[in-house]
Structures are given as C-alpha cells and as structure tokens.
C-alpha cells in the first residue's frame, strides 16, 4: 500500500491555480494526489481546521555560509531553520569562502543538501571568478550541474561591460542573473543610509543613488540586448521576447520602485524581490549603534517603505525573501563601522511579512502566498510552488491566528543576529511537509 497522508479541512490557498477554499488535500507517494472533499481513511491524517494549507514556501535568497564560515551557519543548520520557517525550498547565495564558482562547488552544495534531508536546496553560482567583478566564472558548467542562476551577491557587478557579457552568456543557458544593485563608487565606505541619521550619528552613509544608478544601468543593458534579438516594446510583444532574465535583489528605495514600474510597463524581462527588514525597519533603528540593524542595502526611510508597499499592492514585486545573513555574535559585537552587514531572519520571515503586509491590509493571503511560492519558483525556473495534482507534495500548514513572541534562543539557525527578538507577531508555521514527509512540526 502506498504511503498516504490526508490534510483535512484547511483553507487551501494555491494561487497558481486560483484556489482559495476550505477543503482537503490528499498526498500519496510523496505527490499531491487530490484536492477537494475527500472521504477516505488513510494511515495518517492532519486536522487543519482553522489553518492555512499552502504550497511549500520558497525563499530565493539565503546565505548558509558553507563552505568557509560553518560556525555561523551550515547547510544542515540552515536547512533546519528553513523548515522551521515553513520553507520547503531555498536558494543559497554563492558568496561563501571560497565562493561557489565552478561545477564541483555546485555539486558540493547539492551533496550537503542531500545529507541534511530537510528542505530542497538550490544554489546560485558566482557571476565572476572570486566575486571580483572582472572575469566571468564557469557559468555554463555550473548551470549544467544545476545552478539555478548567477549573482555576485554581497556586492554588485561594477563593470558594465562584464555585466553585459554575463547577461548575454546567461541567456544561452536560460538561467537568470541576479544583481545586488549597489555602485561601490557612490556607496564608498558607507555603513548605513545616508541622510539625517548618518549625519547625527557621525557614520558614513550609503546614498540611495548607489542602488538606483546600478539598477538603471542594468535595465539599459537588458534593453540593449533585447533590442538586438527582436525585442519589441509593449504592444507587439511576445512576453519575455529574449531569453535574458534579470532579477534585482532586495530593492530598498522609492527610486528603484519607479525604475521597476517603468521597466515592467515596457515588458523588459525583469523581476525583483523585497526583504522584511526593508518593510519594517528604518534608518532610525540605527540610532543606538545596534549592529543588528546594520544590513546591506541599508535600512532606509518610511517614505521608501511606503513606496515598496505600494509596489507590492500593485503587483510589481515578484518575490518576498529573507536575505537570511547569519553572523557570529562576536562579530556583531564589533563597533558599527566594522561589524558585518546582515540579519538572520529565515525562521521568522513569514510572520514578519504578515505583520508588514497582511495586518495593515496591503495585500491578502493569496497574494502573499503567491509571492512566497509560485512567483519565486518561476524566477528560478523550477516546477514548484503549486498544489496541482501530480506535483511533489511540498506543503506548508500555517496557523494564521497564533500569536507568539520571537525568541532568537529558539532558532535552529546557528546565529542570533536578529533585531526582532521579543517582537510580538501573529502567524505560526504548524507543519512543513517536503516531498510528502513531515519535516517540521511546531512544538517538536
Ligand atoms: Zn545583497
Ligand atoms: Zn544577500
């Protein structure tokens, strides 16, 4: 007899199929067997009354620090954090030590992921060798080994000629190029947003223009390549007219929203993502020199937050990501100028997005789930993010009404650099099911 699991009576939200109704989900042999009213006795049943049953959440931007900084996070500890956060798939950034820049490195991540046996782990590869921004890495071999895309995340590709080559080259393998949009010459040695607070705190600032300038430049590059491949703006478009796929990582300012809005209107093949910290925190949080608020791109202003929320309401933002960036306490205890950038938030990002977007009514549940399942799946080009019959049974069960306090000491992640400790939030992951197996259960 085949292994069956029945999830009874939940609110099933499957945005890719336009489903939002109270019903049951039957899993058999690790796959979705049926959705609807199912009267059947199975080996195991989960009562999901009052809960949300959604496709397994997908986070396309996490840092698991292996190889190189295993004391901060490993693929194994990061995977445990992922399923505790409701994520059945995550995408690791390649800025490890050494970076993921060839076929063997990609295979290394996959091998470690199989061993961890928690969540599905994908990796991106470096755009340039050593993340130095000069010479292209072995993108073709990495794509063949299963890298889902390329980025030098941690910094942007500064040289436009290198970026142009990377975009053209990536289109041959139908993988996406993601950019940490920041012009180093404008950003200089900044450690927080440049403005009133950086001035009174006496800290070097990162001008928002550093992000805007690089995003603008990249859009011109994408446009240029598309125009050489029969790209027709708007009216006569076939959608995605060329194979280039460009993704702007963690956009944080109003200026970027405007650029994305205009680019999407012109059918430029661009997608983008937003983090919880750029929706919930501002530069003012740095006022006490607490390095848990030091992040790159830096925390901006409430005006930027409003612009990002407006963009989300309009459907301009494709994915919600944590940019989970674990760091050692000893490093974060350094002074603000020298401490590393980053926030570890994989385990609480769902609750944070609920706080930022559902509670104030910016969007509803199906829209939120879509930006955490189907749309990110499309960006990385994997057949996931839906509850269609026959698909692998990756499912997250969420209690939308459960209230709790975020406690970093309960994190499965190895790191605690999280400014949300003690925050009261609503919305808890009850169960995370990966390939039909329950890999996380709340309270266990
Ligand atoms: Zn980044
Ligand atoms: Zn990152």
């Amino acid at each position: 007899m085949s292994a069956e699991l029945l999830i009874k009576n939940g609110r099933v939200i499957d945005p890719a199929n336009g489903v939002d109704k109270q019903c049951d989900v039957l899993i058999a042999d690790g796959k979705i067997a049926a959705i609807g009213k199912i009267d059947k006795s199975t080996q195991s049943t989960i009562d999901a009354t009052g809960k949300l049953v959604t496709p397994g959440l997908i986070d396309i931007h996490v840092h698991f620090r292996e190889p190189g900084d295993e004391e901060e996070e490993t693929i194994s500890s990061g995977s445990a954090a992922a399923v505790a956060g409701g994520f059945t798939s995550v995408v690791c950034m390649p800025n490890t030590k050494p970076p993921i820049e060839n076929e063997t490195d990609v295979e290394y991540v996959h091998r470690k992921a199989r061993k961890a046996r928690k969540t599905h782990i994908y990796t991106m590869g470096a755009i340039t060798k050593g993340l130095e921004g000069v010479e292209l890495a072995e993108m073709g071999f990495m794509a063949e080994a299963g890298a889902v895309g390329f980025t030098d995340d941690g910094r942007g590709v500064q040289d436009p000629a290198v970026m142009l080559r990377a975009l053209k080259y990536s289109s041959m393998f139908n993988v996406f190029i993601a950019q940490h949009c920041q012009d180093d010459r404008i950003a200089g040695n900044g450690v927080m947003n440049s403005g009133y607070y950086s001035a009174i705190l006496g800290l070097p600032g990162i001008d928002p223009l550093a992000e805007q300038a690089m995003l603008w430049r990249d859009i011109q590059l994408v446009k240029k390549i598309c125009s050489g491949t029969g790209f027709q703006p708007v009216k006569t478009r076939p959608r995605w007219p060329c194979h280039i796929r460009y993704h702007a990582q963690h956009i944080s300012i109003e200026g970027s929203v405007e650029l994305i809005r205009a680019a999407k209107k012109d059918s430029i093949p661009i997608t983008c993502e937003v983090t919880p910290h750029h929706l919930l925190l501002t530069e003012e949080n740095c006022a006490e020199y607490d390095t848990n608020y030091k992040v790159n791109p830096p925390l901006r202003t409430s005006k930027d937050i409003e612009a990002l929320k407006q963009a989300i309401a309009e459907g301009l933002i494709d994915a919600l990501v944590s940019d989970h960036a674990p760091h050692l306490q000893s490093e974060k205890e350094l002074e603000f100028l020298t401490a590393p950038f980053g926030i570890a938030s994989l385990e609480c990002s769902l609750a944070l997005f609920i706080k930022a977007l559902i509670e104030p009514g910016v969007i509803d549940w199906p829209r939120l789930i879509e930006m955490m399942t189907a749309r990110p799946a499309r960006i990385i080009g994997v057949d996931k993010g839906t509850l269609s019959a026959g698909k692998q049974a990756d499912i997250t069960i969420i209690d939308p009404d459960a209230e709790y306090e975020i406690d970093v000491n309960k994190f499965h992640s190895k790191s605690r650099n999280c400014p949300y400790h003690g925050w009261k939030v609503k919305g808890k992951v009850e169960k995370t099911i990966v390939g039909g197996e329950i890999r996380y259960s709340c309270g266990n």
Side-chain angles (χ1 to χ4, degrees), residues 61 63 152-155 179-181 249-250 273 296-297 323:
H61 192 149
H63 297 265
D152 276 1
D153 184 47
R155 62 179 306 212
Q179 179 81 293
H180 172 123
C181 292
Q249 297 180 292
H250 44 49
E273 62 182 37
N296 191 359
D323 193 2

Side-chain angles (χ1 to χ4, degrees), residues 279-315:
L279 293 172
L280 289 165
L281 306 172
T282 67
E283 55 180 358
E284 197 180 340
N285 289 110
C286 303
E288 283 167 13
Y289 298 96
D290 182 344
T291 59
N292 279 329
Y293 296 98
K294 183 177 176 183
V295 66
N296 191 359
L299 302 175
R300 306 289 191 178
T301 66
S302 41
K303 196 158 171 269
D304 294 303
I305 291 182
E306 285 320 304
L308 292 173
K309 285 186 176 173
Q310 173 61 31
I312 288 169
E314 282 174 46

